[in-house]
Amino acid sequence: MRMSPVIKAGIWMIGAIVSFSLMAVSGRIAAEVHDTFEIMLYRSIVGIVIVSAVLTVTGHWRQVTTNRFGEQILRNGAHFTAQNLWLAAITMIPLAQVFALEFTSPMWVVFMAPFLLGEKLTVVRLASAVLGFIGVLMVARPDVSGIDTGIIFGAAAAVFFALTFIFTKRLTNTETVACILFWLTGMQAVFGLLASGIDGDIALPTLQSLPWLALIGLCGLSAHFCVTNALKIAPASTVVPFDFVRLPVIAVIGMLLYGEALDLWVLAGAVVIFAVGPRGPVRTDAAHGRLASHVLGGAGALGAGAGHAAETAQKPGHLGRVPCHGPDKQRDPVLAASLGPASY
């Protein structure tokens, strides 16, 4: 009996959800020994090894260029900032709140796209963004005494993830996945080294932290490999609802491991954010996407976004792009962002 594409995609997304959840828990444990800059440094080193190995095996080193080096710096600077804010947030507030705030990335893409991509801000998108902001208020529930620093960090991470999606869209117009991922790993390793060493003290991995640092890298790899495979066999409109299951899963994990209360306001706010999120079909070519999925999977060890996975695949002879086909047949960064943040 042949398994339907929806069931296959669901199985892949279960793998992604497990990976994302393990990554959050591992990040919280690793933070007991390392600051966020050090975690990003070691994660990026793992990524350099993986991406370099894939480029060597596939013979795609020629695709790594410096043609748009300035934009590569901007993209990876935004992603590095987002990653550090996310890692800090998971140590400050319940995991479910962090994951709920991640779903606001498409809202910020809506606001930024007209200025950075020249795309039209439609009434529907504006209304969706406003409703999404209401969902954020339900999640954060600020009071007169102020907003928790962790919530600020989590919300700010979503903004910088949105910037990452936008710069990724701009780069994929001319640059290959191989090029983008190589500079992602290399630059973030340099950023991590500089940031973690600014105080003259870089904590080396310990017997306690090394397994968790390794798990962060491995889960990033497996998460994006699973998401990419799900997108190869099912449209984004099918995959996105599976992605939302991350929230109740991490809420239960937070309750069982850390005694975090199941907050109905967080769940309700996340439902509002998710409900107004843009969605639509994504067509992918399985034959041309196979090699790209492996490279994108390697990027997961350093956190190349799932949204990036939604936008990229292989052209003949190149690691290129998968078009996201909306009503206007254009690749839609808002749709890409709705597939989850680049926290992985």
Side-chain angles (χ1 to χ4, degrees):
M1 180 174 166
R2 188 175 181 181
M3 190 180 298
S4 74
V6 173
I7 295 177
K8 288 181 181 179
I11 293 173
W12 281 116
M13 287 307 296
I14 289 172
I17 291 166
V18 171
S19 299
F20 292 149
S21 301
L22 283 174
M23 202 171 168
V25 173
S26 300
R28 181 174 278 190
I29 296 174
E32 296 174 1
V33 178
H34 302 281
D35 59 37
T36 62
F37 298 136
E38 291 166 351
I39 294 174
M40 285 298 296
L41 168 62
Y42 298 128
R43 184 181 181 183
S44 298
I45 290 173
V46 172
I48 290 174
V49 172
I50 294 174
V51 172
S52 297
V54 172
L55 291 175
T56 300
V57 170
T58 59
H60 284 98
W61 276 107
R62 66 186 181 279
Q63 296 181 23
V64 179
T65 70
T66 57
N67 293 338
R68 299 175 67 179
F69 196 72
E71 272 192 83
Q72 299 277 11
I73 293 175
L74 289 175
R75 178 198 182 274
N76 295 320
H79 189 265
F80 182 79
T81 302
Q83 285 281 297
N84 280 281
L85 289 167
W86 184 86
L87 286 168
I90 64 174
T91 67
M92 297 179 178
I93 59 176
L95 296 175
Q97 272 191 310
V98 179
F99 276 49
L101 290 169
E102 289 177 4
F103 288 108
T104 65
S105 283
M107 179 183 75
W108 294 111
V109 173
V110 165
F111 285 125
M112 297 177 189
F115 304 101
L116 298 177
L117 294 174
E119 296 187 355
K120 185 178 179 180
L121 180 61
T122 65
V123 174
V124 173
R125 283 189 172 181
L126 182 60
S128 295
V130 171
L131 290 173
F133 182 71
I134 293 173
V136 173
L137 293 178
M138 294 171 66
V139 171
R141 297 193 312 283
D143 55 37
V144 292
S145 62
I147 303 178
D148 189 287
T149 302
I151 291 177
I152 294 174
F153 282 4
V159 175
F160 281 97
F161 282 135
L163 277 171
T164 302
F165 289 127
I166 288 176
F167 283 122
T168 298
K169 177 178 170 67
R170 290 173 54 158
L171 283 169
T172 53
N173 288 331
T174 60
E175 306 304 302
T176 65
V177 176
C179 181
I180 292 171
L181 296 187
F182 175 79
W183 291 120
L184 167 71
T185 58
M187 287 183 182
Q188 291 200 147
V190 173
F191 295 158
L193 179 62
L194 293 176
S196 59
I198 198 168
D199 59 356
D201 180 23
I202 300 177
L204 296 176
T206 65
L207 291 177
Q208 174 191 354
S209 67
L210 184 59
W212 300 109
L213 292 170
L215 189 58
I216 291 172
L218 290 173
C219 286
L221 168 66
S222 61
H224 288 287
F225 183 77
C226 290
V227 169
T228 305
N229 276 282
L231 287 168
K232 280 164 54 179
I233 60 179
S237 55
T238 298
V239 174
V240 168
F242 285 110
D243 184 53
F244 184 73
V245 177
R246 285 191 295 124
L247 181 62
V249 169
I250 202 64
V252 171
I253 291 174
M255 179 186 67
L256 295 177
L257 295 184
Y258 304 108
E260 297 174 354
L262 291 177
D263 193 329
L264 294 180
W265 277 106
V266 172
L267 296 177
V271 168
V272 172
I273 294 168
F274 176 78
V276 299
R279 283 179 290 281
V282 175
R283 290 201 295 268
T284 61
D285 187 330
H288 290 300
R290 186 175 299 112
L291 182 57
S293 73
H294 288 291
V295 176
L296 286 167
L302 349 129
H308 182 74
E311 290 193 48
T312 52
Q314 188 184 6
K315 294 190 295 185
H318 290 79
L319 298 178
R321 300 179 295 277
V322 168
C324 294
H325 295 284
D328 60 353
K329 304 299 181 184
Q330 298 296 317
R331 285 179 291 114
D332 190 343
V334 181
L335 169 61
S338 72
L339 283 167
S343 62
Y344 325 118

